[in-house]
């Protein structure tokens, strides 16, 4: 079987590429190990709301058309919307179809256009294609640190991707490890159920949900802000983990979230976990230093936005005091946490994800197994990636980048297809009214 373009991954990024190709008149086949929108529908907690405004849930040829553009939709609504998109655009998707390996280069005179062979996992079927788009998801494989193996087996442990709701956990207190967006939101979710919650902090970034009349994401998206504020650090020893976005919440119409807000809610903040022996964890006494670093970075971001506003002479509301973490509410916890003594029966590891591109040819990856690419264009002819960061810049990973990512990759595939026709007239199609760059 030959298909012009195979897309591995049926999330918003993969389906976005397929939709952009369809708008240009090209067919593709999406292969999805689960179902369309798998992560949004089945691999996130029940109360999760998307951190970006509804208007940014924008697929190629399918802008947000609801009645609450400035609101924030539940995660499962994203999955439902994505399924409607696939149906409405006529995108071909084979669900519950895992890929075992991708082979390249192909030396087969019988199919001179094929660059890749895609080997399916279950039945051994092989699909040949000229273009392959790896839309496996930047946050593909849950990362649980090695220290988890030293925790007493009587303690229930799970990664944040397997957490659904407080009722699904054993009775007792809960320790959430990791203070990124998932960690802080899960800590809040469990605390609101009445449980005792401990949060082991780690490096993270914060930002106000709204600032000077606009969503903070709009300032980053539409203005040239001095400084590298779209990148995000990862915690100690997490490389090659992918970066995470600033901590924000889409609940209640969108609001701020930080360590002092959690402290006010009764969450006990403890230092970063460094080792474990049975039910006793060794901590770094760094709650205040972590919070202070996040506060400094947030103030730098706001100063940069202010400078850009002034430079452009924009008429916006005056600067007000943002909800930056209140250091006075934080105190050191100490260097150990006894899980048994504090009736902690569950540890949720909100410690991020690592990329998993092991199905791809070795020539496409670096020594750490990370894709070699520039703006989604891979190291092998015909290989593309949807939804990978450029360096440590977060924006391409976010749902708000689905349309631009998909349209950019579709244009690269169109360029290859048109130039194969070998005529100036064909190349001119790229700039004709019908083939004008997608907006």
């Amino acid at each position: 079987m030959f298909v012009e373009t195979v897309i591995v991954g049926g999330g918003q990024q993969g389906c976005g590429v397929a939709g952009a190709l369809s708008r240009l008149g090209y067919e593709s086949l999406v292969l999805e190990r689960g179902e369309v929108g798998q992560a949004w529908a089945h691999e996130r907690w029940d109360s999760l709301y998307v951190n970006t405004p509804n208007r940014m849930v924008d697929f190629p040829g399918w802008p947000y058309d609801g009645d609450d553009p400035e609101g924030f939709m539940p995660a499962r609504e994203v999955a439902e919307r994505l399924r409607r998109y696939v149906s409405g655009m006529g995108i071909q998707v084979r669900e519950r179809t895992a890929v075992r390996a991708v082979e390249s280069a192909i030396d087969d005179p019988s199919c001179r256009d094929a660059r890749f062979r895609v080997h399916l996992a279950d039945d051994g079927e092989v699909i040949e294609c000229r273009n392959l788009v790896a839309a496996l998801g930047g946050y593909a494989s849950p990362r649980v640190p090695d220290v988890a193996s030293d925790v007493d087996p009587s303690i229930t442990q799970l990664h944040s991707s397997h957490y659904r709701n407080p009722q699904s956990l054993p009775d007792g207190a809960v320790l959430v490890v990791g203070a990124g967006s998932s960690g802080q939101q899960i800590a809040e979710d469990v605390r609101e159920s009445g449980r005792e919650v401990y949060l082991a902090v780690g490096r993270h970034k914060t930002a106000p949900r709204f600032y000077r009349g606009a969503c903070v994401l709009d300032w980053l998206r539409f203005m040239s802000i001095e400084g590298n504020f779209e990148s995000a650090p990862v915690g100690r020893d997490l490389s090659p983990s992918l970066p995470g976005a600033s901590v924000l919440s889409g609940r209640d119409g969108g609001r701020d979230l930080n360590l002092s807000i959690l402290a006010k809610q009764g969450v006990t903040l403890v230092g970063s976990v460094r080792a474990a022996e049975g039910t006793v964890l060794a901590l770094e006494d760094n709650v205040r230093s972590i919070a202070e670093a996040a506060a400094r970075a947030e103030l730098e971001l706001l100063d940069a936005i202010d400078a850009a506003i002034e430079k452009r002479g924009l008429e916006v509301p005056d600067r007000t005091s943002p909800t930056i973490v209140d250091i006075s509410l934080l105190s050191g916890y100490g260097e150990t946490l006894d899980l048994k003594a504090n009736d902690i029966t569950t540890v949720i590891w909100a410690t991020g994800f690592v990329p998993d591109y092991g199905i791809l040819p070795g020539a496409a990856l670096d020594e750490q197994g990370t894709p070699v690419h520039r703006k989604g264009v891979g190291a092998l002819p015909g290989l593309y990636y949807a939804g990978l960061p450029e360096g440590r810049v977060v924006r391409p990973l976010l749902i708000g980048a689905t349309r631009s990512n998909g349209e950019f990759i579709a244009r690269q595939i169109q360029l290859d297809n048109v130039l194969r026709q070998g005529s100036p007239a064909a190349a001119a199609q790229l700039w004709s009214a019908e083939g004008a760059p997608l907006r």
Side-chain angles (χ1 to χ4, degrees):
M1 177 181 179
F2 176 81
V3 179
E4 180 80 10
T5 301
V6 167
I7 302 170
V8 184
Q12 74 265 9
Q13 298 290 351
C15 292
V17 174
L21 284 170
S22 177
R23 295 185 67 206
L24 292 172
Y26 298 104
E27 291 187 354
S28 61
L29 174 63
V30 178
L31 305 177
E32 167 54 43
R33 61 178 174 82
E35 63 181 57
V36 170
Q38 174 75 21
W40 292 112
H42 302 296
E43 298 174 9
R44 299 294 184 265
W45 60 97
D46 296 345
S47 68
L48 174 64
Y49 280 69
V50 180
N51 280 340
T52 52
N54 292 337
R55 57 183 160 78
M56 292 188 183
V57 184
D58 176 20
F59 309 137
W62 198 283
Y64 174 75
D65 56 359
D67 57 3
D68 189 16
E70 298 305 321
F72 299 84
M73 67 180 66
R76 282 165 177 73
E77 186 177 333
V78 178
E80 294 168 2
R81 181 173 177 79
L82 188 58
R83 287 192 283 267
R84 292 198 302 271
Y85 177 67
V86 166
S87 176
M89 296 293 288
I91 296 171
Q92 298 183 64
V93 181
R94 287 172 61 173
E95 296 182 308
R96 295 170 183 83
T97 302
V99 173
R100 177 174 59 83
V102 175
E103 176 188 355
S104 177
I106 296 175
D107 184 13
D108 185 348
S110 66
C111 191
R112 66 181 183 86
D113 288 333
R115 289 166 166 162
F116 304 95
R117 284 197 181 99
V118 181
H119 298 263
L120 304 187
D122 292 336
D123 57 9
E125 181 183 355
V126 175
I127 301 174
E128 294 185 334
C129 61
R130 179 171 179 81
N131 308 299
L132 185 111
V133 181
L136 301 173
Y139 302 120
S141 295
R143 176 196 174 274
V144 176
D146 293 340
V147 67
S149 62
D150 297 323
V151 175
D152 190 282
S154 66
I155 304 297
T156 297
Q157 299 186 70
L158 64 155
H159 187 266
S160 59
S161 60
H162 297 121
Y163 168 73
R164 297 295 172 264
N165 52 61
Q167 294 72 35
S168 65
L169 304 177
D171 292 339
V174 176
L175 169 65
V176 180
V177 181
S181 192
S182 293
Q184 292 199 34
Q185 289 183 82
I186 289 173
E188 181 179 56
D189 188 54
V190 178
R191 179 58 187 159
E192 288 180 349
S193 73
R195 298 281 193 99
E196 289 296 319
V197 177
Y198 295 75
L199 176 65
V201 302
R203 293 175 60 196
H204 62 280
K205 295 178 71 173
T206 58
R209 175 83 270 179
F210 303 101
Y211 185 66
R212 301 193 71 177
C215 175
V216 70
L217 296 177
D218 288 327
W219 291 121
L220 290 173
R221 188 181 187 191
F222 295 118
M223 294 184 66
S224 178
I225 306 295
E226 294 295 330
N228 192 20
F229 295 109
E230 284 191 315
S231 68
V234 294
R236 171 178 165 182
D237 300 330
L238 291 190
S239 182
S241 293
L242 293 175
S246 294
V247 176
L248 294 168
S249 175
R251 294 181 60 184
D252 305 326
R255 53 186 172 82
D256 297 349
L257 187 61
N258 61 40
L259 296 184
S260 60
I261 291 173
L262 292 173
K264 288 180 181 178
Q265 295 173 352
V267 173
T268 301
L269 303 176
V270 304
S272 303
V273 176
R274 295 302 180 221
E277 185 175 348
T279 61
V280 178
L281 305 184
L283 309 174
E284 183 175 344
D285 189 9
N286 62 348
V287 173
R288 289 179 66 93
S289 62
I290 287 286
E292 288 167 350
R296 285 195 300 271
E298 182 170 337
L299 284 173
E300 289 174 6
L301 167 63
L302 301 185
D303 288 344
I305 294 174
D306 291 341
I309 289 172
E310 183 178 358
K311 182 177 181 179
R312 295 183 57 174
L314 300 178
E315 295 186 9
V316 298
D318 292 337
R319 177 169 180 166
T320 57
S321 299
T323 314
I324 292 175
V325 62
D326 185 349
I327 303 298
S328 69
L329 296 174
L330 310 180
S331 59
Y333 182 83
E335 296 184 346
T336 60
L337 174 62
D338 191 323
L339 303 178
K340 185 176 181 180
N342 289 283
D343 191 32
I344 297 173
T345 59
T346 302
V347 176
I348 300 175
W349 296 98
T351 44
F353 296 78
V354 292
D356 185 1
Y357 286 84
I359 64 170
L360 297 181
L365 310 174
D366 64 16
E367 295 80 3
Q368 287 77 41
T370 302
V372 178
H373 76 106
R374 180 167 177 77
K375 296 185 177 179
V377 179
L380 299 176
L383 177 61
Y384 305 94
Y385 300 95
L388 274 184
E390 184 74 14
R392 306 213 69 78
V393 175
V394 176
R395 184 193 290 184
L397 295 163
L398 304 180
I399 192 169
T402 299
R403 178 170 61 86
S404 58
N405 289 344
E407 292 174 349
F408 176 79
I409 294 172
R411 281 300 184 200
Q412 308 311 304
I413 292 173
Q414 181 192 33
L415 175 66
D416 173 67
N417 185 284
V418 167
L419 292 180
R420 286 164 62 202
Q421 299 179 35
S423 71
Q429 294 175 15
L430 294 172
W431 302 102
S432 67
E434 293 77 14
L438 293 167
R439 300 294 183 187

